[in-house]
Amino acid sequence: MKNKRILAIVGALVAIVVIAIAVSSLNGKKETSTKEKTVKIGVLQYVSHPSLDEIYKGIKDGLAEEGYKGDKVKIDFMNAEGDQSKVATMSKQLVSNNNDVLVGIATPAAQGLANATKDKPIVMGAITDPIGANLVKDLKKPGGNVTGVSDHNPAQQQLDLIKQLTPDVKTIGALYSSSEDNSKAQVEEFTKLAEKAGYTVRPYSVPSTNEIASTMSVMTAKVDAIWIPIDNTIASAFQTVVASNKESKKPIYPSATAMVEEGGLGSVVVDQHDLGVATGKMVAKILKGAKPADTAVNIFDQGKSVVNKKVAAELGITIPDKVLKEAGQVIE
Ligand code: TRP
């Protein structure tokens, strides 16, 4: 009788220990599995041009800074190569691939993703006009499944640079794509500010890269300088812009460092790598539980100036010492 009771107690104790070990090992497993869980990020880049490539690199750097690197993260990357039908099919694909967060680099890509899903979180990678592009309702409180990073063109600073480098310019031609929502608001803002400063602005929009050369030949005969907003179509065919300007030799003021490097005279620009890093960090924030609906859009509007000395020499322009001294970057 006594032995039986002792046996029962020992048996119960053994059972408790076994259960305790089992439970704790299960918990342990659960912990390591969340720690080692690979997150899946779907990225859609609209087109290839150096600025967007730099943004994508920045996104990976920003994610890594937040600990999402190596086998902790799997990036499902697609590039639509400027093709709207590819934007649509790739957006659907990225949604059905079960990614945890989606990223759209450039306006048409973010719009494609936003059309493909109303509930999966989407992070905008450098979108110039999130409201005009119908991606968010309110920059502080986006309200839906989209938030991210916005690159606002420092138009006033660009105009100041135009005045300093080329004081004789009176008429500026604005070259941009008619199909990009990001360009419209920029052209409006630039025109308003330029007219206030006494310039005449003539808009020249192109439906695609195919019309750039012919538009350039009409435009260069009518303007003193060319200004280009943050526009993917023009950025992806900037070599054509430069080639079409060989004889007319007008100063070109684009809106990204890469285009100044490729033959623009100068600009005041937002740093592309910084935009990417901020986008990557925003993705990390969403992965950690923040909701796009109440995560404010991160706006970059601080410009740094960049000038191209080689182009200046070709155009017979001397860059004032003050501009060189204050420049964030001088291309020799
Ligand atoms: N902001 C652009 C958009 O909304 C994308 C972009 C980012 C871009 N950096 C650029 C376009 C530089 C041209 C050049 O689509």
Side-chain angles (χ1 to χ4, degrees):
M1 190 61 183
K2 213 179 173 189
N3 276 351
K4 253 193 188 167
R5 260 181 72 188
I6 288 170
L7 262 179
I9 289 167
V10 169
L13 281 175
V14 167
I16 287 168
V17 169
V18 166
I19 289 169
I21 289 170
V23 166
S24 86
S25 90
L26 259 183
N27 274 346
K29 238 189 209 149
K30 217 167 132 199
E31 246 170 43
T32 50
S33 77
T34 43
K35 258 192 209 143
E36 282 167 11
K37 184 178 172 270
T38 304
V39 298
K40 284 185 71 188
I41 302 167
V43 179
L44 180 61
Q45 180 172 326
Y46 173 54
V47 68
S48 288
H49 61 70
S51 303
L52 296 191
D53 298 343
E54 216 172 314
I55 291 171
Y56 178 46
K57 189 178 171 295
I59 292 175
K60 290 186 282 188
D61 293 343
L63 281 166
E65 272 182 47
E66 295 297 316
Y68 294 102
K69 56 182 166 190
D71 53 12
K72 292 224 170 69
V73 58
K74 191 173 169 295
I75 299 186
D76 188 1
F77 177 82
M78 296 191 188
N79 187 327
E81 288 154 17
D83 181 338
Q84 281 299 346
S85 72
K86 279 194 184 162
V87 166
T89 48
M90 288 177 173
S91 293
K92 280 191 197 129
Q93 183 82 53
L94 288 168
V95 170
S96 63
N97 283 0
N98 266 326
N99 287 296
D100 299 303
V101 178
L102 301 168
V103 182
I105 305 178
T107 300
Q111 287 172 321
L113 292 171
N115 283 336
T117 176
K118 295 287 170 252
D119 41 58
K120 200 151 274 229
I122 298 171
V123 174
M124 305 182 289
I127 305 304
T128 302
D129 184 16
I131 294 179
N134 251 326
L135 286 159
V136 302
K137 283 198 201 77
D138 185 312
L139 294 170
K140 289 210 176 86
K141 229 174 174 325
N145 61 326
V146 184
T147 187
V149 173
S150 176
D151 50 345
H152 188 260
N153 207 24
Q156 185 58 56
Q157 286 167 271
Q158 292 179 339
L159 279 161
D160 295 343
L161 184 72
I162 294 176
K163 181 133 271 165
Q164 284 174 295
L165 290 182
T166 46
D168 295 336
V169 165
K170 290 191 170 59
T171 305
I172 304 171
L175 179 68
Y176 64 104
S177 148
S178 52
S179 65
E180 288 183 41
D181 281 336
N182 43 295
S183 299
K184 279 182 208 139
Q186 293 181 76
V187 175
E188 269 167 35
E189 187 188 9
F190 181 84
T191 305
K192 217 171 85 191
L193 294 171
E195 283 174 350
K196 221 182 192 174
Y199 293 104
T200 302
V201 178
R202 298 205 172 160
Y204 291 86
S205 66
V206 292
S208 76
T209 53
N210 296 335
E211 292 77 18
I212 291 178
S214 57
T215 306
M216 278 291 291
S217 71
V218 176
M219 174 169 153
T220 47
K222 298 219 166 85
V223 302
D224 306 319
I226 298 161
W227 171 82
I228 296 163
I230 307 175
D231 183 292
N232 297 288
T233 306
I234 308 297
S236 67
F238 192 67
Q239 285 308 331
T240 310
V241 176
V242 174
S244 324
N245 187 44
K246 266 247 137 54
E247 259 131 60
S248 43
K249 285 195 167 173
K250 302 289 175 185
I252 303 175
Y253 292 99
S255 293
T257 303
M259 287 188 267
V260 178
E261 283 168 345
E262 287 176 76
L265 173 59
S267 189
V268 180
V269 299
V270 168
D271 188 274
Q272 304 295 311
H273 186 259
D274 288 353
L275 286 168
V277 170
T279 305
K281 290 189 169 175
M282 183 85 85
V283 172
K285 208 168 154 186
I286 302 292
L287 285 168
K288 287 171 186 157
K291 296 271 168 288
D294 35 53
T295 303
V297 174
N298 187 355
I299 301 164
F300 279 68
D301 54 7
Q302 294 301 311
K304 62 161 197 201
S305 61
V306 45
V307 286
N308 189 325
K309 260 189 160 171
K310 213 174 121 225
V311 171
E314 277 164 22
L315 299 177
I317 291 167
T318 323
I319 302 176
D321 279 344
K322 184 172 176 284
V323 174
L324 284 175
K325 241 190 245 138
E326 288 169 2
Q329 191 180 345
V330 177
I331 295 151
E332 301 286 339

